[in-house]
């Protein structure tokens, strides 16, 4: 699941992004309306957490343009005002949900997840295949009862492979759905960027680490020129 956080308060936006990443989301952050529009045009986001009071291009205008373009990105609008009139105005602009600041972070995470479910194919709370059991709610992963101790990125990649139900998932799809724009190949590697996009080697590095944690017999196979499958 990929999320864009667009807020005028840089510290708050980064705190929100950090919390969402810990919840297993791939998150990018921007601090102005024009930057939000640029990122939304570049990447396929599931949800945008959109502050109304953005500089240069107002958050209301960002919402209007998304709606006018027929974007599938869901809009969770943030505002400093909790007045009913402001909530109604934000929803009338095309926002899918509305949260007033200050807010409780667990509620924000739940609302982001709920928005994703509106457009996504339903995912069962537990995914099982080849002795792997993935609990998407508790964020736990086991193989034959052994805790795999996966990083958030490894967990997301394994979830995408399990959701494919034996089908092949391309490296580009994994990049789009599991990595944010400024991701390094792995926690132990140096960042590798190309025009704000994660390097394709990020998938290869992550897949190697995931294979090592899954152990033998090997479960992930590479489909040359296509991608990866379980």
């Amino acid at each position: 699941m990929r999320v864009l956080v667009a807020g005028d308060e840089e510290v708050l936006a980064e705190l929100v992004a950090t919390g969402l990443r810990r919840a297993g989301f791939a998150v990018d952050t921007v601090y102005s309306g024009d930057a939000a529009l640029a990122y939304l045009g570049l990447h396929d986001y599931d949800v945008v957490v959109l502050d109304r009071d953005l500089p240069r291009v107002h958050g209301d205008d960002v919402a209007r343009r998304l709606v006018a373009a027929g974007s599938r990105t869901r809009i969770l609008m943030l505002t400093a005002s909790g007045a009913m009139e402001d909530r109604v105005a934000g929803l009338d602009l095309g926002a899918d949900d509305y949260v007033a600041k200050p807010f409780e972070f667990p509620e924000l995470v739940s609302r982001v997840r709920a928005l994703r479910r509106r457009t996504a194919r339903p995912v069962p709370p537990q995914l099982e295949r080849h002795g792997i059991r993935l609990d998407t709610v508790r964020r736990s992963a086991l193989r034959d009862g052994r805790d795999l101790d996966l990083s958030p990125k490894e967990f997301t990649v394994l979830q995408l492979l399990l959701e494919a139900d034996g089908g092949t998932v391309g490296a580009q799809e994994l990049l789009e759905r599991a990595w944010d724009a400024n991701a390094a190949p792995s926690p132990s590697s140096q960042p590798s960027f190309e025009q704000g996009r994660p390097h394709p080697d990020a998938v290869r590095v992550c897949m190697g680490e995931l294979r090592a944690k899954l152990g033998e017999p090997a479960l992930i196979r590479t489909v040359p020129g296509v991608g990866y499958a379980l």
Side-chain angles (χ1 to χ4, degrees):
M1 178 174 176
R2 193 157 189 184
V3 180
L4 177 66
V5 175
D8 64 323
E9 301 175 52
E10 185 171 338
V11 173
L12 177 59
E14 291 299 336
L15 284 173
V16 170
T18 297
L20 290 173
R21 290 187 187 108
R22 287 174 179 166
F25 307 143
V27 187
D28 298 325
T29 52
V30 294
Y31 316 114
S32 64
D34 55 345
L37 288 171
Y39 269 63
L40 287 162
L42 183 62
H43 303 292
D44 183 18
Y45 292 100
D46 297 293
V47 177
V48 55
V49 179
L50 181 66
D51 200 309
R52 288 191 74 181
D53 298 319
L54 290 175
R56 295 201 285 275
V57 177
H58 196 274
D60 290 357
D61 292 324
V62 174
R64 288 191 187 98
R65 295 190 197 183
L66 273 177
V67 173
S71 173
R72 296 180 61 187
T73 300
R74 296 296 187 179
I75 302 170
L76 175 59
M77 190 166 276
L78 299 180
T79 183
S81 173
M84 182 188 69
E85 294 81 2
D86 289 313
R87 293 199 301 271
V88 171
L91 294 170
D92 284 346
L93 286 168
D96 298 282
D97 202 354
Y98 196 101
V99 174
K101 296 184 287 187
F103 51 82
E104 296 292 332
F105 195 77
E107 179 186 4
L108 180 69
V109 172
S110 294
R111 288 177 180 269
V112 170
R113 285 198 177 114
L115 290 178
R116 173 69 175 106
R117 287 195 295 269
R118 293 187 188 180
T119 54
R121 177 174 59 86
V123 176
Q126 289 196 353
L127 296 166
E128 295 187 46
R129 190 178 181 88
H130 300 306
I132 297 174
R133 174 175 292 183
L134 211 70
D135 189 319
T136 62
V137 177
R138 294 181 176 85
R139 305 288 295 178
S140 63
L142 305 173
R143 180 177 184 184
D144 298 327
R146 174 175 60 87
D147 186 1
L148 295 175
D149 191 26
L150 302 181
S151 70
K153 193 69 62 192
E154 292 161 354
F155 186 97
T156 301
V157 169
L158 183 57
Q159 179 176 338
L160 292 170
L161 291 173
L162 285 166
E163 288 176 13
D165 197 24
T168 303
V169 184
Q172 187 59 42
E173 181 179 355
L174 290 170
L175 280 174
E176 284 293 330
R177 296 180 64 188
W179 269 263
D180 57 55
N182 294 313
S186 74
S188 60
S189 304
Q190 293 298 314
S192 179
F193 310 120
E194 182 179 349
Q195 297 180 345
R197 294 176 181 269
H199 195 279
D201 282 351
V203 175
R204 179 183 55 78
V205 172
C206 180
M207 205 62 70
E209 294 170 346
L210 180 57
R211 281 170 165 148
K213 289 186 178 182
L214 287 172
E216 297 295 336
L219 291 179
I220 300 174
R221 59 189 177 90
T222 300
V223 183
V226 181
Y228 302 90
L230 280 177

